[in-house]
Coordinates of all heavy atoms in Angstrom, one line a residue:
T165 N 119.6 120.2 8.2 CA 120.3 120.0 9.4 C 121.8 119.5 9.2 O 122.6 119.5 10.1 CB 119.6 118.9 10.2 OG1 119.5 117.7 9.5 CG2 118.2 119.4 10.6
G166 N 122.0 118.9 8.0 CA 123.3 118.4 7.7 C 123.5 117.0 8.3 O 124.6 116.4 8.3
L167 N 122.4 116.4 8.8 CA 122.5 115.1 9.4 C 122.5 114.0 8.3 O 122.1 114.2 7.1 CB 121.3 114.8 10.3 CG 121.2 115.6 11.5 CD1 119.9 115.4 12.3 CD2 122.4 115.3 12.5
R168 N 123.1 112.8 8.6 CA 123.1 111.7 7.7 C 122.1 110.7 8.1 O 121.7 110.7 9.3 CB 124.5 111.1 7.6 CG 125.6 112.0 7.1 CD 127.0 111.4 7.2 NE 127.4 111.2 8.6 CZ 127.4 110.1 9.3 NH1 127.0 109.0 8.7 NH2 127.8 110.1 10.5
P169 N 121.6 109.8 7.2 CA 120.5 108.9 7.6 C 120.9 108.0 8.9 O 120.0 107.8 9.7 CB 120.4 108.0 6.4 CG 120.7 108.9 5.3 CD 121.8 109.8 5.8
P170 N 122.1 107.6 9.1 CA 122.4 106.8 10.3 C 122.2 107.6 11.6 O 122.1 107.0 12.7 CB 123.9 106.4 10.1 CG 124.1 106.5 8.7 CD 123.3 107.6 8.2
Q171 N 122.1 108.9 11.5 CA 121.9 109.8 12.7 C 120.5 110.1 12.9 O 120.1 110.8 13.8 CB 122.7 111.1 12.5 CG 124.2 110.9 12.4 CD 124.9 112.2 12.1 OE1 124.7 112.8 11.1 NE2 125.7 112.7 13.1
T172 N 119.6 109.4 12.2 CA 118.1 109.7 12.3 C 117.4 108.4 12.6 O 117.8 107.3 12.3 CB 117.6 110.3 11.0 OG1 117.7 109.3 9.9 CG2 118.3 111.6 10.6
A173 N 116.3 108.6 13.3 CA 115.3 107.5 13.6 C 113.9 107.9 13.1 O 113.6 109.1 13.2 CB 115.3 107.2 15.1
Y174 N 113.1 107.0 12.8 CA 111.7 107.3 12.4 C 110.8 106.2 12.9 O 111.2 105.0 12.9 CB 111.6 107.4 10.9 CG 110.2 107.7 10.4 CD1 109.7 109.0 10.6 CD2 109.4 106.8 9.8 CE1 108.4 109.3 10.3 CE2 108.1 107.1 9.4 CZ 107.6 108.4 9.7 OH 106.3 108.7 9.3
M175 N 109.7 106.6 13.4 CA 108.7 105.7 13.9 C 107.4 105.8 13.1 O 106.8 106.9 13.1 CB 108.4 105.9 15.4 CG 107.5 104.9 16.0 SD 107.5 105.2 17.8 CE 106.5 103.9 18.4
G176 N 107.0 104.7 12.4 CA 105.7 104.8 11.7 C 105.0 103.4 11.8 O 105.6 102.4 12.2
D177 N 103.7 103.5 11.3 CA 102.9 102.3 11.6 C 102.2 101.7 10.3 O 101.6 100.7 10.4 CB 101.8 102.6 12.6 CG 100.8 103.6 12.1 OD1 101.2 104.6 11.4 OD2 99.6 103.3 12.3
D178 N 102.4 102.4 9.1 CA 101.7 101.9 7.9 C 102.5 102.1 6.7 O 103.6 102.6 6.7 CB 100.3 102.6 7.8 CG 99.2 101.7 7.3 OD1 99.5 100.8 6.5 OD2 98.1 102.0 7.6
F179 N 101.9 101.7 5.5 CA 102.7 101.6 4.3 C 103.3 103.0 3.9 O 104.4 103.0 3.3 CB 101.8 101.1 3.1 CG 101.4 99.7 3.3 CD1 100.3 99.2 2.5 CD2 102.0 98.8 4.1 CE1 99.9 97.9 2.6 CE2 101.7 97.5 4.2 CZ 100.6 97.0 3.5
M180 N 102.6 104.1 4.2 CA 103.1 105.4 3.8 C 104.5 105.7 4.5 O 105.2 106.6 4.0 CB 102.1 106.5 4.1 CG 100.9 106.4 3.2 SD 99.8 107.9 3.5 CE 100.9 109.2 2.9
D181 N 104.8 105.0 5.5 CA 106.0 105.2 6.3 C 107.2 104.4 5.8 O 108.3 104.7 6.2 CB 105.8 104.9 7.8 CG 104.6 105.7 8.4 OD1 104.7 106.9 8.3 OD2 103.7 105.1 8.9
L182 N 107.0 103.5 4.9 CA 108.0 102.6 4.4 C 109.2 103.4 3.8 O 110.4 103.0 4.0 CB 107.5 101.6 3.4 CG 106.8 100.4 4.0 CD1 106.1 99.6 2.9 CD2 107.7 99.6 4.8
P183 N 109.0 104.4 2.9 CA 110.2 105.1 2.4 C 111.2 105.6 3.4 O 112.4 105.6 3.2 CB 109.6 106.3 1.6 CG 108.2 105.7 1.2 CD 107.8 105.0 2.4
L184 N 110.6 106.1 4.6 CA 111.5 106.6 5.6 C 112.1 105.4 6.4 O 113.3 105.4 6.8 CB 110.8 107.6 6.5 CG 110.8 109.0 6.1 CD1 110.1 109.2 4.7 CD2 110.1 109.9 7.1
L185 N 111.2 104.5 6.7 CA 111.7 103.3 7.5 C 112.8 102.6 6.8 O 113.7 102.0 7.4 CB 110.5 102.4 7.8 CG 109.4 102.9 8.7 CD1 108.3 102.0 8.8 CD2 110.0 103.2 10.1
N186 N 112.8 102.6 5.5 CA 113.8 101.9 4.7 C 115.1 102.7 4.6 O 116.2 102.1 4.2 CB 113.3 101.7 3.2 CG 112.3 100.7 3.1 OD1 112.2 99.8 4.0 ND2 111.5 100.8 2.1
R187 N 115.2 103.9 5.1 CA 116.4 104.8 5.0 C 117.0 105.2 6.2 O 118.2 105.5 6.3 CB 116.0 106.0 4.1 CG 115.8 105.7 2.6 CD 115.2 106.9 1.9 NE 115.2 106.7 0.5 CZ 114.3 105.9 -0.2 NH1 113.4 105.2 0.5 NH2 114.4 105.7 -1.5
V188 N 116.3 105.3 7.3 CA 116.8 105.9 8.5 C 117.8 104.8 9.2 O 117.7 103.6 8.9 CB 115.7 106.3 9.5 CG1 114.9 107.4 9.0 CG2 114.8 105.1 9.9
G189 N 118.6 105.3 10.1 CA 119.5 104.5 10.8 C 118.8 103.6 11.8 O 119.3 102.5 12.1
L190 N 117.7 104.1 12.4 CA 116.9 103.3 13.4 C 115.5 103.4 13.0 O 114.8 104.4 13.2 CB 117.1 103.8 14.8 CG 116.3 103.1 15.9 CD1 116.6 101.6 16.0 CD2 116.6 103.8 17.3
A191 N 114.9 102.3 12.5 CA 113.5 102.3 12.0 C 112.7 101.6 13.1 O 113.0 100.5 13.6 CB 113.4 101.5 10.7
I192 N 111.6 102.2 13.5 CA 110.8 101.7 14.7 C 109.3 101.6 14.3 O 108.8 102.5 13.6 CB 111.0 102.7 15.8 CG1 112.4 103.0 16.1 CG2 110.3 102.1 17.1 CD1 112.7 104.3 16.7
A193 N 108.6 100.7 14.8 CA 107.2 100.5 14.7 C 106.5 100.4 16.0 O 107.1 99.7 16.9 CB 106.9 99.3 13.8
P194 N 105.4 100.9 16.2 CA 104.6 100.7 17.5 C 104.0 99.3 17.4 O 103.9 98.7 16.3 CB 103.6 101.8 17.5 CG 103.3 102.0 16.0 CD 104.6 101.9 15.4
A195 N 103.6 98.8 18.5 CA 103.0 97.4 18.5 C 101.8 97.2 17.6 O 101.5 96.1 17.1 CB 102.7 97.0 20.0
N196 N 101.1 98.3 17.4 CA 99.8 98.3 16.6 C 100.1 98.5 15.1 O 99.1 98.5 14.3 CB 98.9 99.4 17.1 CG 99.5 100.7 17.0 OD1 100.4 101.0 17.8 ND2 99.0 101.6 16.2
A197 N 101.3 98.5 14.7 CA 101.6 98.7 13.2 C 101.1 97.5 12.4 O 101.0 96.4 12.9 CB 103.1 98.9 13.0
V198 N 100.9 97.7 11.1 CA 100.5 96.6 10.3 C 101.6 95.6 10.1 O 102.8 96.0 10.3 CB 100.0 97.1 8.9 CG1 98.8 98.1 9.0 CG2 101.2 97.8 8.2
A199 N 101.2 94.4 9.8 CA 102.2 93.3 9.9 C 103.4 93.5 9.0 O 104.6 93.2 9.4 CB 101.5 92.0 9.5
E200 N 103.3 94.1 7.8 CA 104.4 94.2 6.9 C 105.4 95.2 7.5 O 106.6 95.1 7.3 CB 103.9 94.7 5.6 CG 105.0 95.0 4.5 CD 105.7 93.7 4.2 OE1 105.2 92.6 4.4 OE2 106.9 93.8 3.7
I201 N 105.0 96.2 8.3 CA 105.9 97.2 8.9 C 106.8 96.5 9.9 O 108.0 96.8 10.0 CB 105.1 98.3 9.5 CG1 104.3 99.1 8.4 CG2 106.0 99.3 10.2 CD1 105.1 99.6 7.3

Side-chain angles (χ1 to χ4, degrees):
T165 61
L167 294 174
R168 296 175 292 105
Q171 297 174 296
T172 64
Y174 181 72
M175 187 174 184
D177 69 316
D178 215 331
F179 292 163
M180 290 187 67
D181 301 306
L182 282 172
L184 273 61
L185 295 172
N186 288 337
R187 286 168 172 78
V188 295
L190 177 58
I192 310 151
N196 55 292
V198 298
E200 181 62 22
I201 299 300

